[in-house]
Amino acid sequence: MRHSSRGTLFIVSAPSGAGKTSLLKRLKEELSGVVISVSHTTRSKRPGEVDGKDYFFVSHEEFETLLSQDAFLEYARVFDNYYGTSRQQVLENLEKGLDVILEIDWQGARQVRVKIPDSRSIFILPPSLKVLEKRLRSRAQDSEETIARRMRDARNEMSHFHEYDYLVVNDEFEHALSDLKCILIADRLRMERQQWQLENVLEDLLG
Ligand code: 5GP
């Protein structure tokens, strides 16, 4: 897919329990010009989740229809449910010059890298297995079996870390947040983007 957008597409993946969602929420609050893409999913809504904000919650049939209409930039089956990123939403925001963040798994990341080669990908890791397990346990009253499955899923997701451009460890939340900010800010300072952003300044300076 050809694309001549002005914003950058960032892919962010992490095992559940790495703190990805909280980090991205703060990043969006602290850095302007950032949009976090809202995915479609067939999984059921968790308490506190809002349709259209956390996800677009759809039935299997609705998901299949969107798929047949080629509405997704990428999609994947994750833990028995389907998840997909709306192509239109993402491309429109990139054209506006906004940085778009996709919170997707490694399977989706692979598809996006092929379709949008100038995207950047970031993997967030927990500092240790022990901390990851502690975070997973503190989330809900899950059974031992569920915890063990979540740990297995997390290790599987983490085994793909080397496919990414950037690696951030979320040990100290504020530190990891600052790392993420640095990645986005450095990308905004690239010559290609600056030449577009600073068109008037450059015209004034150099005519
Ligand atoms: P959860 O159901 O816990 O919100 O998300 C489960 C997993 O699905 C996470 O690894 C998350 O990154 C991934 N995910 C969420 N949305 C998408 C999407 O649109 N595409 C893909 N490929 N993965 C997604």
Side-chain angles (χ1 to χ4, degrees):
M1 182 194 302
R2 224 191 78 74
H3 108 116
S4 56
S5 63
R6 292 163 167 178
T8 295
L9 183 60
F10 288 95
I11 301 161
V12 180
S13 303
S16 73
K20 173 181 64 172
T21 306
S22 320
L23 280 167
L24 293 180
K25 187 166 173 277
R26 271 284 296 283
L27 181 72
K28 188 172 175 287
E29 284 165 9
E30 297 194 9
L31 212 57
S32 61
V34 177
V35 172
I36 299 177
S37 167
V38 180
S39 297
H40 285 73
T41 184
T42 59
R43 88 149 158 75
S44 36
K45 211 190 284 177
R46 292 187 190 129
E49 284 184 328
V50 178
D51 188 33
K53 188 165 168 276
D54 297 290
Y55 283 104
F56 293 107
F57 295 96
V58 293
S59 64
H60 274 272
E61 292 70 33
E62 285 168 312
F63 198 92
E64 294 283 341
T65 305
L66 288 166
L67 201 54
S68 68
Q69 293 166 346
D70 197 25
F72 294 124
L73 176 63
E74 63 75 36
Y75 78 97
R77 185 186 167 134
V78 189
F79 319 140
D80 298 333
N81 287 298
Y82 285 95
Y83 294 82
T85 303
S86 151
R87 180 197 308 277
Q88 194 188 353
Q89 195 191 110
V90 169
L91 297 185
E92 277 176 10
N93 282 322
L94 289 174
E95 289 306 322
K96 285 185 204 157
L98 298 168
D99 285 331
V100 178
I101 298 181
L102 307 183
E103 280 190 71
I104 61 177
D105 81 325
W106 66 273
Q107 305 173 83
R110 280 191 177 174
Q111 298 167 46
V112 175
R113 280 189 205 101
V114 172
K115 290 185 178 162
I116 304 191
D118 54 3
S119 57
R120 301 274 180 277
S121 58
I122 306 170
F123 201 94
I124 303 175
L125 285 174
S128 67
L129 269 187
K130 207 169 148 192
V131 169
L132 181 71
E133 186 171 342
K134 204 171 140 212
R135 288 182 188 164
L136 286 180
R137 281 183 187 281
S138 68
R139 274 194 167 179
Q141 304 298 316
D142 291 326
S143 64
E144 281 307 308
E145 195 190 322
T146 307
I147 298 282
R149 182 179 48 75
R150 287 165 148 249
M151 287 298 283
R152 266 200 315 277
D153 291 337
R155 290 182 85 154
N156 179 39
E157 183 75 23
M158 289 192 292
S159 71
H160 295 276
F161 80 91
H162 53 87
E163 298 171 22
Y164 290 70
D165 299 314
Y166 297 94
L167 198 51
V168 170
V169 176
N170 183 15
D171 188 357
E172 203 1 90
F173 184 90
E174 295 298 327
H175 194 157
L177 178 64
S178 150
D179 287 349
L180 287 175
K181 269 198 242 171
C182 287
I183 295 169
L184 267 76
I185 292 169
D187 187 80
R188 290 176 179 184
L189 297 172
R190 277 188 302 114
M191 184 58 70
E192 204 186 342
R193 287 188 75 174
Q194 285 290 66
Q195 277 182 327
W196 171 64
Q197 289 284 353
L198 300 176
E199 208 177 341
N200 293 339
V201 175
L202 292 168
E203 172 70 21
D204 173 51
L205 291 172
L206 299 162

